[in-house]
Amino acid sequence: MTSLVPILLACFVHLALHTALFIQLDPEIFSNTPILGSQLFYLSLLDLLCHCQVVPGHCNFLPSWAWIVLETIAVFLISEMTMAVVWLTMEIYLRDLFTEVTIAFGLTTSYRSQKVILEMTAVGLSMLFAVIVAAFTNQASNVQKIGRK
């Protein structure tokens, strides 16, 4: 399992500071993409990374401070790559698909309604991912253990 420090640091840097350390994208790419869905996806991704060992086991000889630094770098790389490759691609695909469907059917929608529909779709997909991650990390049993104490 990954230490809590790299997870919290990645969460703070991405969600509070709205910045990335290793991947710099053109802001024009994600200017019209939903925000809430991507934040939920990112939190689910960090939950998944928290329950995985991101540093190989053969690095056990490292001191604890070096282990945490290595975990931090790995968490930032994995989370930023996943957000850039998987989630951003999916958001752009959804936006283009919605635009093509509205044009194909001759529907007229305002920018605000397009944004709301895209946000609802992105939140739905991110919640689906969160449920899958919760099932894999067995969050329900952890909550039951806490409730019994």
Side-chain angles (χ1 to χ4, degrees):
M1 290 184 46
T2 306
S3 304
L4 195 58
V5 172
I7 300 295
L8 291 176
L9 185 62
C11 187
F12 175 74
V13 167
H14 183 75
L15 297 178
L17 299 179
H18 304 290
T19 204
L21 298 180
F22 296 110
I23 298 175
Q24 301 302 322
L25 297 171
D26 183 22
E28 192 64 33
I29 292 173
F30 51 91
S31 62
N32 293 329
T33 57
I35 296 170
L36 183 61
S38 65
Q39 290 177 345
L40 291 172
F41 180 81
Y42 190 76
L43 288 173
S44 301
L45 176 66
L46 290 181
D47 181 27
L48 184 63
L49 288 176
C50 187
H51 290 86
C52 296
Q53 184 175 353
V54 293
V55 177
H58 68 277
C59 295
N60 286 336
F61 64 90
L62 294 172
S64 62
W65 65 269
W67 184 267
I68 289 178
V69 168
L70 198 57
E71 276 186 336
T72 304
I73 292 170
V75 165
F76 273 103
L77 275 173
I78 292 169
S79 63
E80 288 180 12
M81 288 294 291
T82 305
M83 289 300 290
V85 173
V86 175
W87 187 257
L88 186 61
T89 304
M90 192 269 318
E91 282 182 337
I92 292 170
Y93 176 73
L94 276 177
R95 183 186 64 202
D96 293 345
L97 178 72
F98 182 74
T99 304
E100 292 298 322
V101 167
T102 55
I103 291 172
F105 288 114
L107 302 173
T108 323
T109 57
S110 66
Y111 174 75
R112 176 177 269 171
S113 63
Q114 285 181 355
K115 192 91 166 148
V116 168
I117 292 171
L118 284 174
E119 188 73 53
M120 289 178 3
T121 307
V123 167
L125 289 172
S126 63
M127 290 302 293
L128 176 67
F129 181 73
V131 167
I132 292 170
V133 166
F136 280 129
T137 58
N138 205 6
Q139 293 295 327
S141 67
N142 292 338
V143 171
Q144 288 175 355
K145 287 178 188 176
I146 292 171
R148 289 182 189 151
K149 288 183 180 182

